[in-house]
Amino acid sequence: MRTVVLTMKASVIEMFLVLLVTGVHSNKETAKKIKRPKFTVPQINCDVKAGKIINPEFIVKCPAGCQDPKYHVYGTDVYASYSSVCGAAVHSGVLDNSGGKILVRKVAGQSGYKGSYSNGVQSLSLPRWRESFIVLESKPKKGVTYPSALTYSSSKSPAAQAGETTKAYQRPPIPGTTAQPITLMQLLAVTGAVATPTTLPRPFPSAASTTSIPRPRPVGHRSHDMDLLSTATYTSSQNRPGADPGLVPKEELSTQSLEPVSLGDPNCKIDLSFLIDGSTSIGKRRFRIQKQLLAAVAQALDIGPAGPLMGVVQYGDSPATHFNLKTHMNSRDLKTAIEKITQRGGLSNVGRAISFVTKNFFSKANGNRSSAPNVVVVMVDGWPTDKVEEASRLARESGINIFFITIEGAAENEKQYVVEPNFANKAVCRTNGFYSLHVQSWFGLHKTLQPLVKRVCDTDRLACSKTCLNSADIGFVIDGSSSVGTGNFRTVLQFVTNLTKEFEISDTDTRIGAVQYTYEQRLEFGFDKYSSKPDILNAIKRVGYWSGGTSTGAAINFALEQLFKKSKPNKRKLMILITDGRSYDDVRIPAMAAHLKGVITYAIGVAWAAQEELEVIATHPARDHSFFVDEFDNLYQYVPRIIQNICTEFNSQPRN
């Protein structure tokens, strides 16, 4: 009887192996003849919301015209899934209004979404939403297969209007495989009915019973036994009704295994550089305490691409970057990197370190984002060995918010060695106490954690951040010719006043200058004449009407020489020219000179001004930089549009 059982089992196993090999060989031969379906990018309309699409990550094609305000967008960089997918793509800058392909990735819901104006789209704020998404350039991840057809949460898909099918992709049936192969489980059932426990070894190396409950595994991760099962049953499960949903085609595994992940705290979206003191005088123990604070800050901030990003620069004799903003994209990796930092030694040249960060750290190549404020936190043991005032002023003018943490200041008998007394107040963004933290001992440094994190994340109070309203040198070039007249000239000055009121005026923020011209030119006041808004507005009122001819070309050259030649290198240069007639001289060469020198020129024409001449003077594209008004009294209507265009252009460019 034992011999019979063994013979039966051997026969059954042999039969199974023959069928298995035959089936696999047949499938391989057939698969060679079947071409993999070519990936086609689904097309959606502008009004399709991300929440209606079930897929966690997908590539789609957006049509032109999604900049229209009727397609609502909620949030900035991370968008609520209630938003228009394509509208968010335009707002984020991944697409322009002409449409194109994008990659969309679902992420976790946020506790709040902040609206903003960007790339011609005004997004709205939202308190909270259950799901979010981000928009990226349509560069597929290696190893990830994206769906050719999207799955929608309702049967009536809006994508159908764009000619897209929503039927899920199915592998085509393999011809000539109508018979379902015997599965390994079926084989085990047959042998188990006639065998005793001691007859044959178990088919798997596992000691678990075949009837025991398997340990749950993530989708897309299978053990050796599951690989065998899927090989044996794949053909039948793909073709029979009610197939096992656990056996997923390979193309679908990569998308099903994607899960929403935290991308950082969107309520604290800053680009942060820590300048740590690596001077010899600090010692190893205090240097270690400094690193502990950095690691705690990294943990508290919730680092991520949609929230704060952080890099570290160590200074001594000279500064060196340990890692930039895009090196580590989560708090865990950042903390690990901080632990590996070693002390460099040397002097305490803080001024040199601030200059280094201003010139090198906040660049697009290093991960700087135009939509995030730039913040520098400087840690100083005692006092700097060089001056910080001038370097800090240039940093502020570049839109950098400087915070200082000072530890163990100079004792009375050490003050004679301090290079620059009151250095912290000369360096920080504002001297209102918000940007300065001081502790008497290194052992009290941990007490700065909570106030520091709270302050750097309070983006509304980061007063030194560059915006479209605080980072320009604006030169008004005003036509004072006889055709304007005294009354209309006062109207022009009121127009200049209305524009000026929109900007933040100071010696480190936006500065204003003015030139009046006829046949000749006159500098009314330069950029460095007045440093407050009240003084500027009073100066505009005092400008007297000149009267004469109209030499606009000569006026542009004069403004370049007398105004913009003295502009600061880190300021945006804006020329706003107002004229009421055709120029007596050529404007083409002067206008080209202005463009080559980086001066953004807005040309406003009134009454008899020549439209084609305005377009020559204006920066390209002329439709955004040239305006024509039929009457002087209508000038005021163009103030909001000009400000909007200035800000749109600013927001579309890298911050530094």
Side-chain angles (χ1 to χ4, degrees), residues 117 119 467-476 495 498-500 502-503 510 512 572-577 600-604 624-625 627 638-653:
Y117 183 84
N119 302 306
T467 70
C468 58
L469 303 177
N470 69 2
S471 58
D473 280 345
I474 303 176
F476 289 97
F495 171 70
N498 292 343
L499 282 172
T500 301
E502 298 294 325
F503 294 91
T510 292
I512 304 292
R572 295 174 72 235
K573 303 173 185 65
L574 303 179
M575 181 190 298
I576 300 178
L577 185 144
I600 301 168
T601 306
Y602 288 81
I604 295 98
D624 295 330
H625 298 87
F627 305 90
Y638 284 81
V639 170
R641 185 175 172 188
I642 293 170
I643 295 296
Q644 178 179 312
N645 286 12
I646 289 173
C647 287
T648 299
E649 189 168 42
F650 174 87
N651 292 331
S652 67
Q653 301 299 319

Coordinates of all heavy atoms in Angstrom, one line a residue, residues 117 119 467-476 495 498-500 502-503 510 512 572-577 600-604 624-625 627 638-653:
Y117 N -1.5 84.6 -5.4 CA -1.6 85.0 -6.8 C -0.3 84.5 -7.4 O 0.8 85.0 -7.0 CB -1.9 86.5 -7.0 CG -2.0 86.8 -8.4 CD1 -3.3 86.7 -9.1 CD2 -0.9 87.3 -9.2 CE1 -3.4 87.1 -10.4 CE2 -1.1 87.6 -10.5 CZ -2.3 87.5 -11.1 OH -2.4 87.8 -12.5
N119 N 1.4 83.2 -11.5 CA 1.3 82.9 -12.9 C -0.1 83.1 -13.5 O -0.6 82.3 -14.3 CB 1.7 81.4 -13.0 CG 3.1 81.1 -12.5 OD1 4.0 81.7 -12.9 ND2 3.2 80.1 -11.6
T467 N 9.4 90.7 -2.0 CA 8.2 90.6 -2.7 C 8.2 91.5 -3.9 O 9.1 92.3 -4.1 CB 7.0 91.0 -1.8 OG1 7.1 92.4 -1.5 CG2 7.1 90.3 -0.4
C468 N 7.1 91.5 -4.7 CA 7.1 92.4 -5.8 C 6.9 93.9 -5.4 O 7.1 94.8 -6.2 CB 5.9 92.0 -6.7 SG 4.3 92.0 -5.9
L469 N 6.6 94.1 -4.1 CA 6.4 95.5 -3.7 C 7.5 96.1 -2.8 O 7.5 97.3 -2.5 CB 5.1 95.5 -2.8 CG 3.8 95.0 -3.5 CD1 2.6 95.0 -2.6 CD2 3.5 95.8 -4.8
N470 N 8.6 95.3 -2.5 CA 9.6 95.8 -1.7 C 11.0 95.6 -2.2 O 12.0 95.7 -1.4 CB 9.5 95.2 -0.3 CG 9.9 93.8 -0.2 OD1 10.2 93.1 -1.2 ND2 9.7 93.2 1.0
S471 N 11.2 95.3 -3.5 CA 12.5 94.9 -4.0 C 12.9 95.5 -5.3 O 13.7 95.0 -6.0 CB 12.5 93.3 -4.1 OG 11.5 93.0 -5.1
A472 N 12.4 96.7 -5.5 CA 12.7 97.4 -6.8 C 13.2 98.8 -6.7 O 13.0 99.4 -5.7 CB 11.4 97.4 -7.7
D473 N 13.9 99.2 -7.7 CA 14.2 100.6 -7.9 C 13.4 101.1 -9.1 O 13.5 100.6 -10.2 CB 15.7 100.9 -8.2 CG 16.6 100.8 -7.0 OD1 16.1 101.0 -5.9 OD2 17.8 100.7 -7.2
I474 N 12.4 102.0 -8.8 CA 11.4 102.4 -9.8 C 11.7 103.8 -10.2 O 11.7 104.7 -9.4 CB 10.0 102.3 -9.3 CG1 9.7 100.8 -8.8 CG2 9.0 102.7 -10.3 CD1 8.4 100.6 -8.2
G475 N 12.0 104.0 -11.5 CA 12.2 105.3 -12.0 C 11.0 105.8 -12.9 O 10.7 105.1 -13.9
F476 N 10.4 106.9 -12.5 CA 9.3 107.4 -13.3 C 9.9 108.4 -14.3 O 10.7 109.3 -13.9 CB 8.3 108.1 -12.5 CG 7.4 107.2 -11.7 CD1 7.7 106.9 -10.3 CD2 6.3 106.6 -12.2 CE1 6.9 106.0 -9.6 CE2 5.5 105.7 -11.5 CZ 5.8 105.4 -10.2
F495 N -1.4 110.1 -10.7 CA -1.2 108.7 -11.2 C 0.1 108.1 -10.6 O 0.2 107.0 -10.1 CB -1.2 108.7 -12.7 CG -0.8 107.4 -13.3 CD1 -1.6 106.3 -13.2 CD2 0.4 107.3 -14.0 CE1 -1.3 105.1 -13.8 CE2 0.8 106.1 -14.6 CZ -0.1 105.0 -14.5
N498 N -0.4 107.4 -6.9 CA -1.2 106.2 -6.7 C -0.4 105.0 -6.9 O -0.6 104.0 -6.1 CB -2.4 106.2 -7.6 CG -3.4 107.3 -7.3 OD1 -3.4 107.9 -6.2 ND2 -4.3 107.6 -8.3
L499 N 0.5 104.9 -7.9 CA 1.3 103.8 -8.1 C 2.3 103.6 -6.9 O 2.5 102.5 -6.4 CB 2.1 103.9 -9.4 CG 1.4 103.6 -10.7 CD1 2.2 103.9 -11.9 CD2 1.0 102.1 -10.7
T500 N 2.9 104.8 -6.5 CA 4.0 104.7 -5.4 C 3.4 104.2 -4.1 O 4.0 103.5 -3.4 CB 4.5 106.1 -5.3 OG1 5.1 106.6 -6.5 CG2 5.6 106.2 -4.2
E502 N 1.4 101.9 -3.5 CA 1.3 100.5 -3.5 C 2.6 99.8 -3.0 O 2.5 98.6 -2.7 CB 0.9 99.9 -4.9 CG -0.4 100.4 -5.4 CD -1.6 99.9 -4.6 OE1 -1.5 98.8 -4.1 OE2 -2.6 100.7 -4.4
F503 N 3.7 100.5 -3.0 CA 5.0 99.8 -2.7 C 5.5 100.1 -1.3 O 5.0 101.1 -0.7 CB 6.1 100.3 -3.7 CG 5.8 99.9 -5.1 CD1 5.1 100.7 -6.0 CD2 6.3 98.7 -5.6 CE1 4.8 100.3 -7.3 CE2 6.0 98.2 -6.9 CZ 5.3 99.0 -7.7
T510 N 11.8 99.0 -1.6 CA 11.6 99.7 -2.9 C 12.1 101.2 -2.8 O 11.7 101.9 -1.8 CB 10.2 99.6 -3.4 OG1 9.9 98.3 -3.7 CG2 9.9 100.5 -4.6
I512 N 12.3 105.0 -5.0 CA 11.7 105.8 -6.1 C 12.5 106.9 -6.6 O 13.1 107.6 -5.8 CB 10.3 106.3 -5.7 CG1 9.4 105.2 -5.1 CG2 9.6 107.1 -6.8 CD1 8.9 104.2 -6.1
R572 N 15.5 95.0 -8.6 CA 14.8 94.9 -9.9 C 14.7 96.4 -10.4 O 14.3 97.3 -9.6 CB 13.4 94.3 -9.8 CG 13.5 92.8 -9.4 CD 12.1 92.2 -9.2 NE 11.4 92.1 -10.5 CZ 10.2 92.6 -10.7 NH1 9.6 93.3 -9.8 NH2 9.6 92.4 -11.9
K573 N 15.0 96.6 -11.6 CA 15.0 98.0 -12.2 C 13.7 98.1 -13.0 O 13.6 97.4 -14.0 CB 16.2 98.2 -13.0 CG 17.5 98.0 -12.2 CD 18.7 98.2 -13.2 CE 20.0 97.9 -12.4 NZ 20.1 96.4 -12.0
L574 N 12.8 99.0 -12.6 CA 11.6 99.3 -13.3 C 11.5 100.7 -13.8 O 11.7 101.7 -13.0 CB 10.4 99.0 -12.5 CG 10.2 97.6 -11.8 CD1 9.0 97.5 -11.0 CD2 10.2 96.6 -12.9
M575 N 11.3 100.9 -15.1 CA 11.1 102.3 -15.6 C 9.7 102.4 -16.1 O 9.2 101.6 -16.8 CB 12.0 102.6 -16.9 CG 11.8 103.9 -17.5 SD 12.7 104.2 -19.1 CE 14.4 103.9 -18.6
I576 N 9.0 103.4 -15.5 CA 7.6 103.7 -15.9 C 7.5 105.0 -16.6 O 7.7 106.1 -16.0 CB 6.6 103.6 -14.7 CG1 6.7 102.3 -14.0 CG2 5.2 103.9 -15.1 CD1 5.9 102.2 -12.7
L577 N 7.3 105.0 -18.0 CA 7.4 106.2 -18.8 C 5.9 106.6 -19.2 O 5.2 105.7 -19.6 CB 8.2 105.9 -20.0 CG 8.5 107.1 -21.0 CD1 9.9 107.0 -21.6 CD2 7.4 107.2 -22.1
I600 N 13.3 96.9 -16.8 CA 12.0 96.5 -17.3 C 11.2 97.8 -17.5 O 11.0 98.6 -16.5 CB 11.3 95.6 -16.2 CG1 12.1 94.3 -16.0 CG2 9.9 95.2 -16.7 CD1 11.7 93.5 -14.8
T601 N 10.8 98.0 -18.7 CA 10.1 99.3 -19.1 C 8.6 99.1 -19.3 O 8.2 98.3 -20.1 CB 10.8 99.9 -20.3 OG1 12.2 99.9 -20.1 CG2 10.3 101.3 -20.6
Y602 N 7.9 100.0 -18.6 CA 6.4 100.1 -18.9 C 6.2 101.4 -19.6 O 6.7 102.5 -19.1 CB 5.6 100.0 -17.6 CG 5.6 98.6 -16.9 CD1 6.7 98.2 -16.2 CD2 4.5 97.8 -17.1 CE1 6.7 96.9 -15.6 CE2 4.5 96.5 -16.6 CZ 5.6 96.1 -15.8 OH 5.6 94.8 -15.2
A603 N 5.5 101.4 -20.7 CA 5.2 102.6 -21.5 C 3.7 102.9 -21.4 O 2.9 102.0 -21.8 CB 5.7 102.4 -22.9
I604 N 3.3 104.0 -20.9 CA 1.9 104.4 -20.8 C 1.7 105.7 -21.7 O 2.3 106.7 -21.5 CB 1.5 104.8 -19.3 CG1 1.6 103.5 -18.5 CG2 0.1 105.3 -19.3 CD1 2.8 103.4 -17.7
D624 N 1.9 93.2 -22.1 CA 1.9 93.3 -20.7 C 2.6 94.5 -20.2 O 2.6 94.8 -19.0 CB 2.6 92.1 -20.1 CG 1.9 90.8 -20.4 OD1 0.7 90.8 -20.5 OD2 2.6 89.7 -20.5
H625 N 3.3 95.3 -21.0 CA 4.1 96.4 -20.6 C 3.8 97.7 -21.2 O 4.4 98.7 -20.9 CB 5.6 96.1 -20.8 CG 6.1 94.9 -20.1 ND1 6.0 93.6 -20.5 CD2 6.7 94.8 -18.8 CE1 6.5 92.8 -19.7 NE2 6.9 93.5 -18.6
F627 N 0.5 100.4 -22.4 CA -0.9 100.7 -22.1 C -1.2 102.0 -22.8 O -0.4 103.0 -22.8 CB -1.2 100.8 -20.6 CG -0.8 99.6 -19.9 CD1 0.5 99.5 -19.3 CD2 -1.6 98.6 -19.7 CE1 0.9 98.4 -18.6 CE2 -1.2 97.4 -19.0 CZ 0.0 97.4 -18.4
Y638 N -5.8 102.3 -14.6 CA -4.7 101.3 -15.0 C -3.8 101.0 -13.8 O -2.9 100.2 -14.0 CB -3.9 101.9 -16.2 CG -4.7 101.7 -17.5 CD1 -5.7 102.6 -17.8 CD2 -4.5 100.6 -18.3 CE1 -6.4 102.5 -19.0 CE2 -5.2 100.4 -19.5 CZ -6.2 101.4 -19.8 OH -6.9 101.2 -21.0
V639 N -3.9 101.7 -12.7 CA -3.0 101.4 -11.5 C -3.1 99.9 -11.1 O -2.1 99.3 -11.0 CB -3.3 102.3 -10.4 CG1 -2.6 101.9 -9.1 CG2 -3.0 103.8 -10.7
P640 N -4.3 99.3 -10.9 CA -4.3 97.9 -10.4 C -3.7 97.0 -11.4 O -3.0 96.0 -11.1 CB -5.8 97.7 -10.2 CG -6.5 99.0 -10.0 CD -5.6 99.9 -10.9
R641 N -4.0 97.3 -12.7 CA -3.5 96.3 -13.8 C -1.9 96.4 -13.8 O -1.3 95.4 -14.0 CB -4.1 96.7 -15.1 CG -3.7 95.7 -16.2 CD -4.4 96.0 -17.5 NE -3.9 95.2 -18.6 CZ -4.3 95.4 -19.9 NH1 -5.2 96.3 -20.2 NH2 -3.8 94.6 -20.8
I642 N -1.4 97.6 -13.7 CA 0.1 97.7 -13.8 C 0.7 97.0 -12.6 O 1.7 96.3 -12.7 CB 0.5 99.2 -13.8 CG1 0.0 99.8 -15.2 CG2 2.0 99.4 -13.7 CD1 0.2 101.3 -15.2
I643 N 0.2 97.2 -11.4 CA 0.7 96.6 -10.2 C 0.6 95.1 -10.3 O 1.5 94.3 -10.0 CB -0.1 97.0 -8.9 CG1 0.2 98.5 -8.7 CG2 0.3 96.2 -7.7 CD1 1.6 98.9 -8.4
Q644 N -0.5 94.6 -10.9 CA -0.7 93.1 -11.0 C 0.3 92.6 -12.0 O 0.9 91.5 -11.7 CB -2.1 92.9 -11.6 CG -2.4 91.4 -11.8 CD -3.8 91.1 -12.3 OE1 -4.7 91.6 -11.7 NE2 -3.9 90.3 -13.4
N645 N 0.6 93.3 -13.1 CA 1.6 92.8 -14.1 C 3.0 92.8 -13.5 O 3.8 91.9 -13.7 CB 1.5 93.7 -15.3 CG 0.3 93.4 -16.2 OD1 -0.6 92.7 -15.7 ND2 0.3 93.9 -17.4
I646 N 3.3 93.8 -12.7 CA 4.6 93.9 -12.0 C 4.8 92.7 -11.1 O 5.8 92.0 -11.1 CB 4.8 95.2 -11.3 CG1 4.9 96.4 -12.2 CG2 6.0 95.1 -10.3 CD1 4.9 97.7 -11.6
C647 N 3.7 92.4 -10.3 CA 3.8 91.2 -9.4 C 3.8 89.9 -10.1 O 4.5 89.0 -9.7 CB 2.7 91.3 -8.4 SG 2.9 92.7 -7.2
T648 N 3.0 89.8 -11.1 CA 3.0 88.5 -11.9 C 4.3 88.2 -12.5 O 4.8 87.1 -12.4 CB 1.9 88.6 -13.0 OG1 0.6 88.8 -12.5 CG2 1.9 87.3 -13.9
E649 N 5.0 89.2 -13.0 CA 6.3 89.1 -13.6 C 7.3 88.7 -12.5 O 8.2 87.8 -12.7 CB 6.7 90.3 -14.3 CG 8.0 90.2 -15.1 CD 8.2 91.4 -16.1 OE1 8.0 92.5 -15.6 OE2 8.6 91.2 -17.2
F650 N 7.2 89.3 -11.4 CA 8.1 89.1 -10.3 C 8.0 87.6 -9.8 O 8.9 86.9 -9.6 CB 7.9 90.0 -9.1 CG 8.7 89.7 -7.8 CD1 9.9 90.2 -7.7 CD2 8.1 88.9 -6.8 CE1 10.7 89.9 -6.5 CE2 8.8 88.6 -5.7 CZ 10.1 89.1 -5.5
N651 N 6.7 87.2 -9.6 CA 6.5 85.9 -9.1 C 6.8 84.7 -10.0 O 7.0 83.6 -9.6 CB 5.0 85.7 -8.7 CG 4.6 86.6 -7.5 OD1 5.4 86.9 -6.6 ND2 3.4 87.0 -7.5
S652 N 6.9 85.1 -11.3 CA 7.3 84.0 -12.3 C 8.8 83.8 -12.4 O 9.2 82.9 -13.1 CB 6.7 84.4 -13.7 OG 7.4 85.6 -14.2
Q653 N 9.6 84.7 -11.8 CA 11.0 84.6 -11.8 C 11.6 84.0 -10.5 O 11.0 84.1 -9.5 CB 11.7 85.9 -12.0 CG 11.2 86.6 -13.3 CD 11.5 85.9 -14.6 OE1 12.6 85.3 -14.7 NE2 10.6 85.8 -15.5

